Amino acid sequence: MSRDASFAPDLHRRRRQRLLDALGDGLLLLSTAPEQRRNGDVLHEFRPGSDFHFLTGFPEPEAVLAAWRTGRGRHRAVLFVRPRDPAREIWDGPRHGVAGARARFGADEAHPIGELWHRVPDLVAAHDRMFHRLGADAAFDRRLLDAFAAIAQKRRRRQPAAHPTLQDPIPALAALRLRKDAAEIAALRQAAAATVAGHVAAMRAARPGRREYEAQAALEAEFRRHGSPRNGYPSIVASGPNACVLHYHENDRRMRAGDLLLVDAGAEVGGCTADVTRTFPVAGRFTPEQAAVYAVVLRAQLAGIRACRVGAPWNRAHHVCVRELTRGLVALGVLRGDVGRLVAKHAYRPFYMHGTSHWLGRDVHDVGAYDDDRDAPLPLVAGAALTVEPGLYFGPRETRAPARLRGIGVRIEDDVLVTRRGPVVLTAGAPKSIDAIERTCAGR
Ligand code: GLY
Ligand code: MN
Ligand code: MN
């Protein structure tokens, strides 16, 4: 009965129907995430597969969904799940079981997972088309190919096609997940609120002499206190020069007075995650150099957020940020020359080497297409959520930057919901101006 259970059978039925209507007639087969071994007999914490959870709300490992349309606006959903097992449940806790899958998750039919491969041949044989992504799970594919072979063998007098027409359902599923529904927007808002609280706690907890992971503990304790069972991704808590390592995860350096601390962390709530970065002074006050760099990144970020409008190319925020950052690099004395020409020759790249935005949702780098068939950026649609996260990074050995800036890394990241009324910053509560940050750091 895990914490990831989402008891909203009507919601999940509506999502499945929308997906199946987009795909057309045929059999959808989709499994949840596999359990992963960590070491010895220790498993990694289990998290349901994002697609599977989106369509079922079912929380347990070893679960498979089969679903197909049965007429206009209707479909049948079959869940294969771990059966109740009193002996195992003493060790692992209660399971929903076959009856629970029907009663609590709205499956029309449910069976023990052990029966999956006995039942798949009949399910497959009843459909001319099948929706399944090959290549994601080799063991599952192997069993499916065996089922195809068995069906063909059984019907060989009719010389049937050896398998149904196979179509990848993931693009349609990704398109569906790109536009967040009301339940996901509510989850994103909760994730954002938990994340904001965590970042405030980190600002209060950081101080010279403490380890980065002590600030991380304060951050994540606040996530948990706000109803987040886990992070959406491993927290980056990077002080001093570590801020220039984009995906720094060691989080064990002892912070020093004069350092900035870059915290990139997001709480997951209801299956959705926030993704927020704040950069603040460990000792509570920005130095003039740090403040100058910070002001450039902040100006770029605010301009980038304004660019997240329905109909605009999704990456307009990136172009806006790159222009602002380049202007700032000239003002800081890092680059010299005409801003337009510097942008055209990517002169900013040694100091800003990543993209500015990505889709956000159940996965921190969420599903959804970015470009059309001709590689042109797709326009933003209402209901999409994305990050805006410019930064400037002057590595400690970056000889192309003036010595006074070396070792400074700043990123500012917020989560934006695209609406017809303009961009809504879900994470606006996290202190961001220099003033607000210094006040929060002082509130320890
Ligand atoms: N936290 C990963 C990212 O910002 O994309
Ligand atoms: Mn991000
Ligand atoms: Mn991030």
Side-chain angles (χ1 to χ4, degrees):
M1 308 270 178
S2 110
R3 57 202 184 179
D4 294 310
S6 170
F7 303 112
D10 293 342
L11 170 69
H12 298 113
R13 174 161 292 279
R14 278 199 300 279
R15 288 177 180 162
R16 288 192 299 269
Q17 190 68 47
R18 289 183 63 195
L19 173 64
L20 292 169
D21 285 343
L23 291 169
D25 288 329
L27 171 70
L28 171 73
L29 266 194
L30 184 74
S31 38
T32 193
E35 289 186 291
Q36 303 279 3
R37 191 173 298 283
R38 177 183 180 272
N39 62 293
D41 60 356
V42 179
L43 298 180
H44 279 287
E45 179 204 8
F46 177 74
R47 178 186 181 278
S50 295
D51 286 331
F52 180 86
H53 194 255
F54 174 74
L55 294 175
T56 65
F58 193 77
E60 295 174 18
E62 297 187 90
V64 172
L65 168 71
W68 62 95
R69 290 208 300 189
T70 52
R72 250 183 97 79
R74 288 184 299 132
H75 71 270
R76 188 163 182 80
V78 180
L79 276 176
F80 293 88
V81 302
R82 294 188 311 193
R84 300 294 309 266
D85 179 342
R88 265 330 305 168
E89 289 177 41
I90 288 173
W91 292 87
D92 302 333
R95 299 174 173 184
H96 288 288
V98 170
R102 273 201 308 270
R104 294 181 211 117
F105 297 92
D108 300 300
E109 198 181 312
H111 302 286
I113 186 71
E115 294 180 17
L116 176 68
W117 295 109
H118 302 299
R119 291 183 179 270
V120 160
D122 284 348
L123 288 171
V124 170
H127 295 92
D128 297 329
R129 291 169 78 208
M130 213 187 123
F131 309 115
H132 168 71
R133 168 165 279 195
L134 284 177
D137 179 344
F140 192 97
D141 292 350
R142 183 72 250 161
R143 302 295 297 260
L144 191 59
L145 296 183
D146 289 345
F148 291 161
I151 297 164
Q153 180 66 17
K154 211 159 109 193
R155 294 177 169 179
R156 66 186 178 282
R157 292 180 65 85
R158 283 194 252 149
Q159 285 291 300
H163 56 78
T165 304
L166 214 55
Q167 186 182 321
D168 182 1
I170 300 304
L173 198 38
L176 201 59
R177 279 178 50 192
L178 173 66
R179 280 178 200 256
K180 273 59 187 173
D181 59 29
E184 287 195 304
I185 291 172
L188 274 173
R189 285 189 183 281
Q190 287 171 10
T195 300
V196 164
H199 278 267
V200 169
M203 287 178 193
R204 298 206 168 122
R207 62 195 64 172
R210 286 196 177 161
R211 298 269 189 180
E212 292 161 342
Y213 53 59
E214 294 180 70
Q216 178 183 358
L219 168 95
E220 295 180 0
E222 207 58 15
F223 287 2
R224 301 296 93 82
R225 248 173 44 75
H226 283 74
S228 159
R230 64 171 77 81
N231 294 9
Y233 56 92
S235 299
I236 297 167
V237 184
S239 64
N242 293 338
C244 300
V245 180
L246 297 181
H247 282 173
Y248 174 76
H249 286 138
E250 303 286 325
N251 296 0
D252 64 350
R253 179 175 171 273
R254 213 179 273 290
M255 298 179 273
R256 298 196 194 151
D259 284 348
L260 289 177
L261 183 65
L262 182 156
V263 177
D264 181 346
E268 181 182 291
V269 179
C272 290
T273 187
D275 179 8
V276 169
T277 306
R278 288 294 183 266
T279 309
F280 54 90
V282 162
R285 299 298 293 259
F286 286 90
T287 66
E289 286 77 22
Q290 291 167 348
V293 174
Y294 190 91
V296 168
V297 178
L298 180 56
R299 207 174 311 123
Q301 206 243 7
L302 294 173
I305 289 171
R306 287 194 293 274
C308 296
R309 305 204 151 266
V310 170
W314 73 270
N315 61 354
R316 181 167 287 166
H318 181 66
H319 294 300
V320 165
C321 284
V322 157
R323 203 172 173 84
E324 283 299 330
L325 293 173
T326 303
R327 213 191 301 275
L329 287 166
V330 171
L332 290 168
V334 179
L335 297 179
R336 217 170 291 139
D338 172 71
V339 170
R341 234 171 280 146
L342 291 168
V343 169
K345 59 180 198 193
H346 304 138
Y348 55 87
R349 282 229 178 119
F351 318 106
Y352 183 49
M353 58 299 275
H354 59 77
T356 300
S357 302
H358 54 79
W359 305 131
L360 181 74
R362 289 174 176 268
D363 300 312
V364 61
H365 298 156
D366 208 30
V367 293
Y370 290 96
D371 299 329
D372 66 16
D373 292 342
R374 280 186 266 166
D375 290 332
L378 287 163
L380 286 174
V381 293
L386 74 167
T387 63
V388 179
E389 48 177 307
L392 283 178
Y393 311 92
F394 303 103
R397 280 172 291 281
E398 179 50 81
T399 50
R400 288 166 290 188
R404 68 179 201 287
L405 298 181
R406 287 178 208 159
I408 294 180
V410 172
R411 178 163 65 254
I412 307 174
E413 174 173 29
D414 278 301
D415 303 341
V416 174
L417 179 68
V418 180
T419 80
R420 270 181 278 279
R421 288 188 302 278
V424 174
V425 182
L426 300 173
T427 47
K432 189 158 75 170
S433 70
I434 287 181
D435 249 22
I437 285 177
E438 291 189 343
R439 263 186 281 121
T440 308
C441 290
R444 51 182 58 140

